[in-house]
Amino acid sequence: MGSLRFPWLELGILLPLLGAFWTQRRRDPDVARRDGLIIAGLTLGCMVVAWIDFKLAVPPGARDLWSPIPRPSGGEFFAIDELSAPLPAMGALIYYLTILGTLRTKAGEFSISRTLLSESILLATFAAATPWGLVTMMAIGALPPYVELLRRRRPSRVYLAHMGLFVVFLMLGEYGVSRAASHAEQPLGPILLLTIATLLRSGVAPVHCWMTDLFEHATFGRALLFVTPMVGAYGVARLVLPIAPDWALEVISIMSLFTAVYAAGMALVQRESRRFFCYLFLSHSSLVLVGIETATSVGLTASLCLWLSASLSLTGFGLALRCVEARVGRSLMTEFHGLYEHIPMMAGLFLLSGLASIGFPGTAGFVGLELLVNAAAGAMPFVGMSIVVVAALNGLAIIQAYFRIFAGPPRATSIDLRIRPSERVAILIISALILAAGLYPQPGVSDRHQAADRILQARAGNASATAARSDAGTTMAPGQAGKLVERVAP
Amino acid sequence: MSPWVFDLLGLGTIGSPALLLTVFGLASLAPWPLSERAMARWTAACVSSGLISLSLILAIMWGTGLRHVVVEIGDWVSLPDQGFHFHLKFIFDPLSIPFAGLTFILTGVVGAFASRYLHREPGYRRFFQYFAVFLLGMVVAALAGTIETLFLGWELVGLSSALLVAFFHERAAPVFNAQRIWSVYRIADAAFMIAALALHRAAGAGDFAILAGSDAWPMGESPLTSTQALGVGLLLLIAAAGKSALLPFSGWLPRAMEGPTPSSAVFYGALSVHLGAYLLLRVSPILELSTLLCAAVVIIGLSSALFGAIAGRAQTDVKSALAFASLTQVGLITAEIGLGLRYIPLIHIIGHASLRTLQLLRSPSLLHDYHMLENAIGGRLRHEDRLARRWLSASLRRRLYRIGLNRGQLDQTIDRFIARPFTRCFQWCDRMERRWTDSLAGRRSRESDRVAPGSSLGEEP
């Protein structure tokens, strides 16, 4: 293996950052959109290659010699391990598809520059090599939606209150954990703060209202990009899971399960499409948390599988809804919109991605949900049954939404509502991924299983030797698989 | 006989519907859709090849005296160190072969009928796409060798069923009815999934060779205890009741007749409506372990049959009357299963499915048939329910007629005691959330409140 390796990861983070400045200078929104799409595509390419690069098992220290990012002594800024390896690629894909699905008529209102900036932040979050790096990037990541709310002169106090608390708790929690690293006992207070912070970011009830508020006031695309990569779940897996005691995990698990049931019920009574989507998403992201908190190999594998499948499928679902909104405006779920005759392909994507999110057989979510129900039932039978009920309720909500949007007398319109080529490409990509992951799930499941085992090993290591937290050295090269999840304080 | 012959033919049986769905799925993504004729030909070809493969398997089994053939596809997904396997396995035995054969024959007949009946209908392609999903689901469910595989087919059947009920989606009624059917199916699916989970916990596997014994159906013996069998069996009974429209889920069956006649025939007259009974037959070794469970199966079956007979006599349209007639027969089939019969219910399923398909396919021309008969006999046809007049008093007949006309108020009861409280509870939560965000924002926080019916706020107003 050669020692000179190209720093794909860093390049993938840098590209959208530079792209943000580049597109900001473009006055024509259409040109900015085109440039943004190219940059997002290149970023996606870099992240996919970085993932492949990681899978080819690079030996420690043989990486990033060309890194353009200055490094602090004793460590790197960015690295990926088994858990995070596919996440930057998934994040880049979500951004690419969102820009691709943005109609030219909307390019002036959906800021491409801000989108690329938030992409860079998201990718840096998934690739952060140290706990403080992760905490910092998570905090910075909350800014772009806030800036958008301010620019659009929309109410921002609900978002600000929740995200302000999130940042404060996150910083204080991490500070407490890192300060107490030399003690044998795990510090309960800081762990609690970190837990609350990540639950806030995940939108677990009763601190979920910022998410519905964001969907109300931000652009659909921005809200979608902020929630679908599930940064909150990443925070839980990285910052909380390795050090939290079992009882704390059980509490989080029950809160997440309650959120999943509550949000599934709320999705059924919403009268407007964005709020419906928000609750549907909340229900699914909470199921991911339920799996993480089981802290068992199967449960964690299920959760990591479900994370990817739910992110992908709900991005597809959200993009389909966004395309509908771009044509007919924000739509009521209490009336029929009759769009099937105009955009049958979009109806297909809507149905496919919705069914994938509830774990319909043959789609990406099926195996994840099966594993999750198995694992949860093993831990607590009641939890397993509740997950089945959540999936059933979400299934009702999805079919109800499908009929409301696409059924009804064909909508009379003077403009052409048919699907555009870029939307067609986005649909084909998402559909292919959902079906490929559903029909041939073994490679993905094996990969996530490895990551789950690493996390559990790290958790077991931390539990048996908390003194290890005092060890210095935060370098997490790809070859050092599992190091990231050990959550060693600098 | 070499095992590869069975593998090849088994794959042919399963692969033909899968190929049909793949072709229709890919064609729907292409800018140039398949023509009506191409779709009809693809359907005929795939159904024929599937049926031929199945017939060859049957012929070989007959010739060699085999009663149980297993075709293993392998692990779809597995975590060996955790003991998790999703095994794809199909069995060809005296239960699955007749049911799969019936599926191929009836879908082939109905497909040929539909290609003419729906000619130039705007939803022609959509119909055949959903029809392909249904065919694959039915064949997978019929031949499934594990409970997970059966669930896979079960779900495909449910989805295609709901979507086809809403086939005429420009009208509200079919859509509402499809939603209600989907709701019942989701309850049945949830019960099925929990039962599958419980079976895994109890027996350590979802393989029917373990759950229902390795001997050819119906000779197998289940390793479960009587209590386990009762718990799991009741869940499976709920699943079967949901799928086969047995009480208390019978309300959806006449609603399903909103779909086009070919789908009504093949789904609710012939195949889908019998899937619940098929499930009970497949797990019959489990039923045999608990007398209480068998009694529950008989009671639900007989009460459904009685309800179907009463409600069917009060219907004013032919498809609803046929739906309740189906329910009566399915109820009787279920009762037969509960009474410990095995081959009789299977024969009953085949006979009833064939007859009902014919009746439903003829139903659009019922008036024409009546006119022909009346012209032939030179007078009106007489309809007298002499049996009811002889045995029941006038007031009881009136009461039963009211029950039948209101379809037992089943849907209203579910709405009143389950759906409405559920909706009100979450609407109250929604109001509380509104108050909370309003107080945090210091103003009215919901932009979506301004979305009026038919208005267009636009994404970025």
Side-chain angles (χ1 to χ4, degrees):
Chain A
M1 190 68 69
S3 61
L4 289 177
R5 301 192 63 82
F6 198 79
W8 295 107
L9 193 64
E10 285 81 356
L11 186 66
I13 295 167
L14 195 62
L15 260 174
L17 187 64
L18 296 175
F21 294 113
W22 173 264
T23 50
Q24 198 175 24
R25 290 167 166 271
R26 298 296 203 180
R27 287 185 181 172
D28 184 350
D30 201 25
V31 175
R33 178 187 166 278
R34 189 200 60 201
D35 291 356
L37 192 60
I38 293 169
I39 292 162
L42 290 173
T43 305
L44 173 61
C46 286
M47 287 309 176
V48 171
V49 175
W51 184 14
I52 295 168
D53 193 29
F54 172 77
K55 295 302 286 181
L56 293 176
V58 186
R63 184 179 163 76
D64 299 340
L65 293 182
W66 293 355
S67 174
I69 310 287
R71 288 181 236 166
S73 57
E76 295 174 343
F77 277 141
F78 304 117
I80 49 175
D81 66 349
E82 262 113 344
L83 170 64
S84 62
L87 298 179
M90 186 198 69
L93 177 70
I94 291 172
Y95 273 80
Y96 177 73
L97 291 172
T98 306
I99 298 175
L100 190 64
T102 304
L103 292 180
R104 288 169 66 182
T105 51
K106 299 289 176 189
E109 291 135 3
F110 181 70
S111 166
I112 298 294
S113 167
R114 211 174 302 133
T115 303
L116 290 174
L117 183 65
S118 62
E119 178 175 14
S120 183
I121 295 168
L122 175 76
L123 299 179
T125 306
F126 284 142
T130 64
W132 270 110
L134 174 59
V135 164
T136 310
M137 295 319 296
M138 282 176 77
I140 294 173
L143 284 176
Y146 180 61
V147 172
E148 182 172 290
L149 290 176
L150 291 182
R151 289 264 172 97
R152 286 163 52 84
R153 296 181 183 174
R154 298 297 161 91
S156 60
R157 278 166 55 175
V158 176
Y159 180 81
L160 186 63
H162 285 85
M163 286 300 112
L165 275 179
F166 157 66
V167 171
V168 169
F169 285 178
L170 193 68
M171 293 291 178
L172 286 178
E174 185 51 38
Y175 179 72
V177 169
S178 59
R179 286 278 294 173
S182 56
H183 300 297
E185 289 290 315
Q186 295 284 7
L188 194 61
I191 291 176
L192 205 62
L193 286 175
L194 274 179
T195 305
I196 296 171
T198 48
L199 291 183
L200 258 163
R201 181 64 176 81
S202 302
V204 167
V207 285
H208 63 285
C209 289
W210 67 267
M211 207 185 271
T212 50
D213 195 67
L214 183 68
F215 272 91
E216 286 276 359
H217 303 302
T219 56
F220 200 172
R222 180 77 50 226
L224 204 62
L225 291 173
F226 189 61
V227 300
T228 48
M230 298 194 200
V231 172
Y234 188 69
V236 171
R238 281 281 187 235
L239 302 172
V240 180
L241 184 63
I243 55 170
D246 287 343
W247 62 265
L249 292 184
E250 278 175 21
V251 171
I252 300 171
S253 179
I254 288 172
M255 283 180 73
S256 306
L257 185 66
F258 169 75
T259 308
V261 177
Y262 176 76
M266 289 293 278
L268 276 167
V269 299
Q270 294 308 307
R271 64 183 286 277
E272 193 262 333
S273 57
R274 279 196 192 189
R275 292 187 68 85
F276 155 77
F277 175 80
C278 178
Y279 282 110
L280 191 70
F281 176 81
L282 257 179
S283 182
H284 284 92
S285 62
S286 302
L287 284 186
V288 172
L289 285 180
V290 172
I292 290 179
E293 314 312 347
T294 57
T296 61
S297 181
V298 177
L300 209 48
T301 305
S303 182
L304 299 183
C305 290
L306 206 61
W307 183 344
L308 294 183
S309 68
S311 279
L312 178 68
S313 54
L314 287 173
T315 299
F317 193 80
L319 286 179
L321 214 51
R322 183 171 175 250
C323 290
V324 167
E325 197 173 282
R327 284 164 170 78
V328 299
R330 289 173 74 160
S331 36
L332 285 179
M333 307 300 285
T334 48
E335 61 183 40
F336 295 106
H337 297 280
L339 286 174
Y340 186 90
E341 304 304 329
H342 297 286
I343 42 174
M345 205 170 172
M346 199 60 79
L349 175 69
F350 191 91
L351 194 59
L352 179 67
S353 53
L355 292 173
S357 73
I358 57 165
F360 197 79
T363 61
F366 179 55
V367 173
L369 193 76
E370 281 274 315
L371 280 167
L372 184 62
V373 172
N374 252 298
M380 283 183 277
F382 165 74
V383 178
M385 281 191 261
S386 303
I387 293 170
V388 173
V389 171
V390 170
L393 291 176
N394 285 335
L396 295 184
I398 282 163
I399 291 292
Q400 179 177 305
Y402 171 78
F403 284 140
R404 294 305 157 107
I405 291 170
F406 295 101
R411 193 183 182 91
T413 173
S414 56
I415 57 168
D416 184 7
L417 296 181
R418 279 180 302 180
I419 197 163
R420 303 294 187 270
S422 61
E423 292 174 324
R424 186 185 291 270
V425 173
I427 287 174
L428 289 175
I429 292 173
I430 297 171
S431 304
L433 287 172
I434 286 174
L435 290 174
L439 296 174
Y440 188 50
Q442 186 62 51
V445 172
S446 299
D447 182 76
R448 297 294 78 198
H449 184 48
Q450 275 180 1
D453 281 348
R454 290 288 181 191
I455 294 174
L456 290 175
Q457 280 169 17
R459 181 173 159 75
N462 277 341
S464 60
T466 48
R469 287 174 51 79
S470 61
D471 290 352
T474 56
T475 306
M476 286 148 218
Q480 297 168 298
K483 283 284 180 191
L484 268 174
V485 291
E486 285 178 18
R487 207 191 173 290
V488 185
Chain B
M1 182 61 65
S2 299
W4 68 265
V5 176
F6 286 118
D7 288 350
L8 192 70
L9 292 173
L11 285 177
T13 310
I14 304 290
S16 301
L19 174 68
L20 183 67
L21 182 58
T22 309
V23 169
F24 286 176
L26 290 176
S28 70
L29 296 174
W32 303 280
L34 283 175
S35 68
E36 284 191 6
R37 182 178 289 183
M39 291 193 92
R41 282 184 178 172
W42 268 104
T43 305
C46 289
V47 168
S48 303
S49 68
L51 183 60
I52 290 167
S53 302
L54 187 74
S55 307
L56 286 174
I57 289 178
L58 179 63
I60 295 170
M61 286 173 72
W62 206 344
T64 55
L66 283 171
R67 285 178 56 83
H68 188 85
V69 170
V70 176
V71 174
E72 303 249 9
I73 307 288
D75 282 333
W76 190 19
V77 64
S78 70
L79 297 174
D81 57 328
Q82 299 297 321
F84 179 87
H85 298 270
F86 194 109
H87 199 56
L88 278 182
K89 175 182 166 185
F90 298 97
I91 46 176
F92 295 82
D93 63 6
L95 175 63
S96 65
I97 290 179
F99 203 66
L102 183 74
T103 301
F104 278 121
I105 291 168
L106 292 183
T107 48
V109 168
V110 171
F113 178 86
S115 67
R116 288 159 182 81
Y117 187 81
L118 295 174
H119 177 53
R120 291 191 178 171
E121 183 76 34
Y124 184 95
R125 289 183 187 85
R126 193 156 38 93
F127 176 87
F128 275 92
Q129 283 162 3
Y130 299 157
F131 199 64
V133 175
F134 169 73
L135 176 62
L136 179 64
M138 277 305 299
V139 173
V140 167
L143 299 173
T146 65
I147 197 144
E148 297 88 2
T149 316
L150 204 159
F151 182 68
L152 204 149
W154 182 275
E155 288 264 59
L156 291 175
V157 170
L159 176 70
S160 55
S161 173
L163 292 175
L164 272 172
V165 170
F167 179 78
F168 298 110
H169 58 199
E170 60 280 0
R171 289 191 288 118
V175 174
F176 285 128
N177 288 335
Q179 274 178 229
R180 189 172 281 272
I181 290 163
W182 179 249
S183 310
V184 175
Y185 277 177
R186 291 307 289 175
I187 294 169
D189 294 348
F192 194 125
M193 202 163 174
I194 295 170
L197 203 68
L199 279 172
H200 264 277
R201 296 272 149 209
D207 197 325
F208 286 129
I210 295 169
L211 297 175
S214 54
D215 292 336
W217 182 88
M219 306 299 180
E221 285 182 15
S222 173
L224 300 185
T225 64
S226 169
T227 317
Q228 287 172 335
L230 179 63
V232 170
L234 286 176
L235 285 168
L236 290 172
L237 183 58
I238 294 172
K243 205 63 149 190
S244 290
L246 301 175
L247 282 177
F249 303 113
S250 307
W252 69 259
L253 193 56
R255 291 173 180 274
M257 296 298 162
E258 286 277 5
T261 297
S263 70
S264 301
V266 80
F267 280 70
Y268 313 111
L271 297 172
S272 177
V273 78
H274 289 119
L275 201 53
Y278 177 81
L279 172 69
L280 294 178
L281 279 176
R282 177 54 76 198
V283 298
S284 54
I286 294 176
L287 301 185
E288 285 163 9
L289 294 174
S290 169
T291 314
L292 207 59
L293 181 59
C294 287
V297 174
V298 173
I299 290 167
I300 287 188
L302 287 180
S303 52
S304 301
L306 186 65
F307 172 69
I310 294 168
R313 276 165 172 71
Q315 300 309 306
T316 51
D317 65 294
V318 62
K319 283 177 81 176
S320 294
L322 286 174
F324 282 109
S326 281
L327 177 61
T328 306
Q329 294 306 316
V330 174
L332 291 176
I333 291 166
T334 307
E336 288 160 11
I337 296 169
L339 289 171
L341 301 169
R342 295 295 172 258
Y343 285 106
I344 296 288
L346 183 59
I347 294 165
H348 197 160
I349 287 174
I350 294 168
H352 173 239
S354 304
L355 170 73
R356 204 64 73 197
T357 303
L358 177 68
Q359 285 182 326
L360 277 161
L361 291 183
R362 292 295 302 169
S363 64
S365 50
L366 182 80
L367 290 178
H368 180 69
D369 291 351
Y370 266 44
H371 290 156
M372 278 179 63
L373 282 171
E374 286 173 351
N375 286 341
I377 62 174
R380 291 276 176 198
L381 286 167
R382 295 178 69 187
H383 296 282
E384 283 185 16
D385 209 346
R386 289 181 185 168
L387 200 68
R389 281 182 187 280
R390 195 181 306 160
W391 291 98
L392 305 176
S393 67
S395 65
L396 184 59
R397 270 187 280 131
R398 263 201 305 277
R399 204 170 294 165
L400 289 177
Y401 179 77
R402 206 172 297 141
I403 290 171
L405 199 63
N406 291 328
R407 295 174 182 176
Q409 301 253 354
L410 287 176
D411 288 347
Q412 292 88 332
T413 308
I414 290 173
D415 284 350
R416 187 174 172 193
F417 292 106
I418 298 174
R420 214 168 295 156
F422 177 91
T423 310
R424 280 185 183 163
C425 169
F426 282 101
Q427 280 172 341
W428 180 83
C429 293
D430 197 47
R431 284 197 296 277
M432 292 302 108
E433 279 197 14
R434 182 200 304 272
R435 278 192 194 176
W436 169 239
T437 50
D438 283 356
S439 66
L440 267 184
R443 54 195 271 192
R444 293 185 71 169
S445 63
R446 290 199 183 175
E447 211 168 298
S448 57
D449 284 348
R450 288 191 281 129
V451 183
S455 77
S456 175
L457 261 178
E459 189 192 20
E460 281 87 18

